[in-house]
Amino acid sequence: MERVNRILEHDGYQECLRKNETAEKDRRFCRHDMAHFLDVARIAWILNLQEEAAVGQELIYAAALLHDCGRWRQYEDGTPHEKASAQIAPQILVECGFAEEERAGILAAIREHRNPKSAEAAGLTGLLYRADKLSRSCFSCKAKAECDWPEEKKNWKIRL
């Protein structure tokens, strides 16, 4: 997990975390922070094992850590956060030692993590999409009345 730890320590990544935190300082639900990123990574890893998808752990964790790193741009200028994150991530991935083929897979998963067609996708793209959606604990959210997620997407029970 050496390269994943490089992402955590990367100045550009840390700046994204700070910007996300500032942009969401008054947000009461579904923050795009380290807790969310690690929840997504761990759920994706579990799904990977259950589905015998054979996606590497570093790829899963890298995609999960980076998938919402550009969320602040959505607040700032309206850029969809999957697009902003996919624009920010390449430099971080290069500087953290990910090969071209690995970067391509991670970036594709980031770009598609909000696309409902990814729900059934194999590999990293599908794992990231499903884990991102499963990571939300709607059943215990203190701000559920304010949530704009459609009812059919909300997680009212724990499931995998």
Side-chain angles (χ1 to χ4, degrees), residues 147-159:
C147 182
D148 61 2
W149 255 27
E151 283 300 310
E152 66 273 7
K153 284 188 173 185
K154 292 179 182 174
N155 296 316
W156 295 119
K157 297 180 182 209
I158 295 173
R159 59 188 171 87

Side-chain angles (χ1 to χ4, degrees), residues 57-131:
Q57 191 172 32
E58 276 195 315
L59 300 184
I60 288 172
Y61 272 74
L65 289 176
L66 293 165
H67 81 284
D68 286 337
C69 70
R71 179 68 184 200
W72 58 273
R73 284 206 36 219
Q74 190 164 329
Y75 297 113
E76 189 174 277
D77 63 17
T79 302
H81 73 270
E82 65 277 15
K83 181 178 179 181
S85 298
Q87 291 169 347
I88 293 166
Q91 181 179 353
I92 296 170
L93 290 167
V94 167
E95 292 175 8
C96 294
F98 288 85
E100 185 175 343
E101 185 177 322
E102 293 172 317
R103 293 191 308 267
I106 292 167
L107 294 172
I110 291 170
R111 279 191 302 275
E112 297 299 318
H113 86 271
R114 295 183 66 213
N115 182 348
K117 292 179 182 176
S118 297
E120 302 301 321
L124 184 57
T125 296
L127 293 171
L128 185 66
Y129 177 89
R130 292 188 298 279

Side-chain angles (χ1 to χ4, degrees), residues 10 13 15-16 25 31 48-50 60 69 78 86 92 106 109 133 135-136:
H10 190 278
Y13 183 68
E15 180 65 19
C16 287
K25 69 180 181 328
R31 291 188 180 214
N48 181 56
L49 296 174
Q50 288 177 336
I60 288 172
C69 70
I92 296 170
I106 292 167
K133 304 310 170 257
S135 72
R136 301 307 189 178

